[in-house]
Amino acid sequence: DAGITQSPRHKVTETGTPVTLRCHQTENHRYMYWYRQDPGHGLRLIHYSYGVKDTDKGEVSDGYSVSRSKTEDFLLTLESATSSQTSVYFCAITQREDYNEQFFGPGTRLTVL
Amino acid sequence: AQRVTQPEKLLSVFKGAPVELKCNYSYSGSPELFWYVQYSRQRLQLLLRHISRESIKGFTADLNKGETSFHLKKPFAQEEDSAMYYCALGPSGGYNKLIFGAGTRLAVHP
């Protein structure tokens, strides 16, 4: 599992509340990614990080922010959750910078009521 | 634009039948293609990478640059192959980013 964990694994929240999802890795990898998984859309990149404090937007970044203050943790924040952000969120890493293969965390199922 | 197309949302076959999950891509340059599999409510895991040219769990995939395709094939499907399959394309704009297709659900019936 490449040492990747996500927390929480499940969350139900209400519209308008802030939510933070955590991705934790134990192997000191530089590149980390947040995706959302939705039927009919596959996986879409939200944000990614290429080092501590180095982050950038992906394909569907509106309504999301990220932070990476330590190598091992990549946080995804929904500032004010909306029902359209109900999804399964996956974190991923790459183990080598010259190698595109990504390894995924177990996912977080988020429901926004 | 870089894009991955998986035209089938659902592929339903009987055990022992051949399987082909289609993947077409759009990319200018030298692509890297991957197949990921997700069993029920589990994390995605790499099934195949075109560079390695391996056969994993009986699955194979050949990169056809002329047809811009990377179809996944297995001659005899098993019930345990039932899962969601995603084709992915990289690199996309640096930092090892990947573009994923919408996925195909394979259902293998007894």
Side-chain angles (χ1 to χ4, degrees):
Chain A
D1 63 5
I4 308 169
T5 58
Q6 292 183 231
S7 58
R9 295 292 314 281
H10 302 271
K11 186 170 182 66
V12 179
T13 191
E14 295 188 348
T15 298
T17 59
V19 176
T20 295
L21 309 182
R22 179 184 184 228
C23 177
H24 180 76
Q25 53 130 335
T26 59
E27 299 180 0
N28 214 35
H29 300 297
R30 182 180 169 199
Y31 295 165
M32 300 183 75
Y33 313 84
W34 275 109
Y35 293 90
R36 59 178 291 173
Q37 182 187 41
D38 303 289
H41 293 278
L43 275 80
R44 292 179 291 174
L45 184 65
I46 305 172
H47 282 278
Y48 62 100
S49 171
Y50 44 96
V52 173
K53 299 192 189 311
D54 291 324
T55 66
D56 206 347
K57 296 178 180 180
E59 178 188 356
V60 289
S61 59
D62 287 349
Y64 302 94
S65 63
V66 290
S67 66
R68 192 163 176 206
S69 58
K70 299 183 291 184
T71 299
E72 59 266 34
D73 288 325
F74 191 29
L75 304 181
L76 177 71
T77 297
L78 290 65
E79 302 289 349
S80 178
T82 67
S83 58
S84 65
Q85 293 175 312
T86 292
S87 186
V88 180
Y89 291 86
F90 285 98
C91 174
I93 59 97
T94 52
Q95 292 188 322
R96 288 165 45 183
E97 293 177 22
D98 61 343
Y99 202 72
N100 288 313
E101 179 182 345
Q102 293 185 9
F103 292 85
F104 285 82
T108 294
R109 186 172 294 273
L110 176 67
T111 301
V112 183
L113 302 176
Chain B
Q2 298 166 352
R3 186 170 59 246
V4 175
T5 302
Q6 295 181 248
E8 303 136 332
K9 288 184 178 179
L10 172 66
L11 187 61
S12 187
V13 302
F14 287 103
K15 177 182 174 181
V19 168
E20 182 179 53
L21 289 84
K22 291 183 168 50
C23 173
N24 290 91
Y25 67 91
S26 173
Y27 191 82
S28 56
S30 295
E32 287 191 63
L33 275 298
F34 304 84
W35 276 101
Y36 281 84
V37 60
Q38 184 183 28
Y39 300 103
S40 180
R41 300 216 171 206
Q42 294 185 21
R43 68 182 75 199
L44 277 80
Q45 52 188 287
L46 182 70
L47 181 63
L48 284 177
R49 176 178 177 166
H50 90 270
I51 288 179
S52 60
R53 302 184 65 83
E54 294 174 302
S55 173
I56 305 293
K57 299 184 179 182
F59 285 97
T60 59
D62 291 318
L63 179 61
N64 185 323
K65 290 187 177 181
E67 296 183 358
T68 60
S69 68
F70 187 56
H71 302 329
L72 184 67
K73 300 178 183 179
K74 185 171 183 176
F76 307 103
Q78 303 299 315
E79 290 181 66
E80 55 265 30
D81 297 328
S82 296
M84 196 74 180
Y85 292 81
Y86 291 98
C87 183
L89 167 69
S92 174
Y95 303 112
N96 293 358
K97 289 184 289 180
L98 297 177
I99 297 173
F100 285 83
T104 297
R105 179 166 299 282
L106 174 64
V108 182
H109 303 286

